[in-house]
Amino acid sequence: MTPDLDSLATALDVKTDDLLKASPHLAPWRPAVGTTPKLTDAELVTLAVMQAMLGFTSEAKWLRHTRAHPRHLFLYVPQQPSYNKRLRKATELLRRAAAPARPSNAPSWPDGPSTATAPVQPLLLGPAPALVCTLQGLPVAFALTGAKADERETLLDLLDAEPELLATRPGQTLIGDKNYFGRDFENQLAEHGIRLLRPTCKGEPERPGAELFKPLRQVIESVNETFKGQLNLEQHHGRTPAGVVARIMQRILTLTTAIWHNDQSGQPVLRSLIAYDH
C-alpha cells in the first residue's frame, strides 16, 4: 500500500465489501424487490470517509467536487438527498466498518499492558462522543451519549458492552481527566483490571504516576484536536439525532481508516492525515 487518498479509498472499499460479504445483515435494509443501487454500500462508506478526510462539511459541495475530481473512483455519484438518506441508514455499517480498531486487528495496540486514553468531551449539543483510543489515537471503543451524561457511568457501560477489549488485552492503564474520580468508580475499574491515571483532586494525596500525567494528557488533547480541527467534528451540520450520529460515526471511521492504512503502508506517524487531506 502507498499512503495516498486513492489507495486508501480502494483499500477501504475492498475491506468494506469483504465485511458485507461475510456479514450481509450489516447492509442497510432495502426491499427484496426493487432496483439495485448504482452506488454500492461499500462505495457509500468510502465516499463518506473521503468527504471527512478532505474536509467537506457540506454534502452538496462534496458531491459536486466528486463529480469533477475523484470521479474515477465511483461510476455513479448520487444526488445529495439520496446520499444523506443512505448515510443515515448506514450508521451500523459505519460502526462495524471500523473493525481494524478491534484488539485482534489493532496494529497500534501492542501485546501486553498498554495505555489507552479516554477523551470524553461534550463537543455537540445533543449526542456527544465518548471515545477510548490507544496512545496512537486509534479508536478502540466509543459510545454516543447526552451532553450531560456522567462520563464515569458511560465508561463503565462501554466496558461492559465491549468485554473483548480487556479480555484480549489485560492490565490496561486508562488516562482520563479530572471528571474520572471516586473510590467506587476506581474500584469498579480495578475489578476490570484497569489502572486509572488522572489528575490529583483537591485535598487528595498525590497519586502514583502523577509525573506521567501531563505529557500523556497531551495525547488526549491531540486526538480531540484531530476530530475538531482536521475532521471538522463540530461543523457536522447534522439537523436530527440520526444525522448527528451518522456524522460522528463518519469521523470516527475516517480516523480509524487513516491509522489502519498508515500502519499497513509502514508510515512512521500513524495518526497523520497529511497524505490524504488534499
Side-chain angles (χ1 to χ4, degrees), residues 32-164:
V33 178
T35 58
T36 301
K38 295 181 180 179
L39 186 78
T40 68
D41 292 318
E43 289 173 331
L44 174 72
V45 169
T46 304
L47 193 62
V49 165
M50 291 180 68
Q51 177 192 349
M53 194 77 78
L54 292 174
F56 281 85
T57 57
S58 165
E59 292 178 347
K61 289 182 179 179
W62 163 239
L63 295 174
R64 286 198 298 269
H65 173 85
T66 303
R67 294 187 186 98
H69 295 281
R71 183 62 186 271
H72 63 285
L73 294 171
F74 305 98
L75 297 177
Y76 173 77
V77 178
Q79 297 297 316
Q80 189 274 335
S82 174
Y83 175 69
N84 180 273
K85 183 178 180 180
R86 287 190 62 186
L87 198 59
R88 285 187 282 114
K89 289 185 175 181
T91 300
E92 178 62 13
L93 176 57
L94 293 174
R95 186 182 76 84
R96 290 294 300 274
R102 294 305 182 203
S104 60
N105 300 312
S108 56
W109 191 336
D111 291 330
S114 63
T115 304
T117 65
V120 183
Q121 295 192 3
L123 305 177
L124 316 159
L125 293 176
L131 178 70
V132 176
C133 63
T134 68
L135 286 177
Q136 289 80 7
L138 179 73
V140 295
F142 45 85
L144 301 178
T145 71
K148 296 183 179 180
D150 188 313
E151 293 98 330
R152 296 166 297 181
E153 292 299 324
T154 298
L155 176 58
L156 292 172
D157 288 344
L158 192 154
L159 294 174
D160 288 337
E162 303 278 3
E164 75 277 8

Side-chain angles (χ1 to χ4, degrees), residues 48-49 51-52 83 87 94 246-254:
V49 165
Q51 177 192 349
Y83 175 69
L87 198 59
L94 293 174
R247 286 163 176 81
I248 293 173
M249 295 305 311
Q250 181 183 12
R251 270 94 177 158
I252 290 175
L253 175 57
T254 299

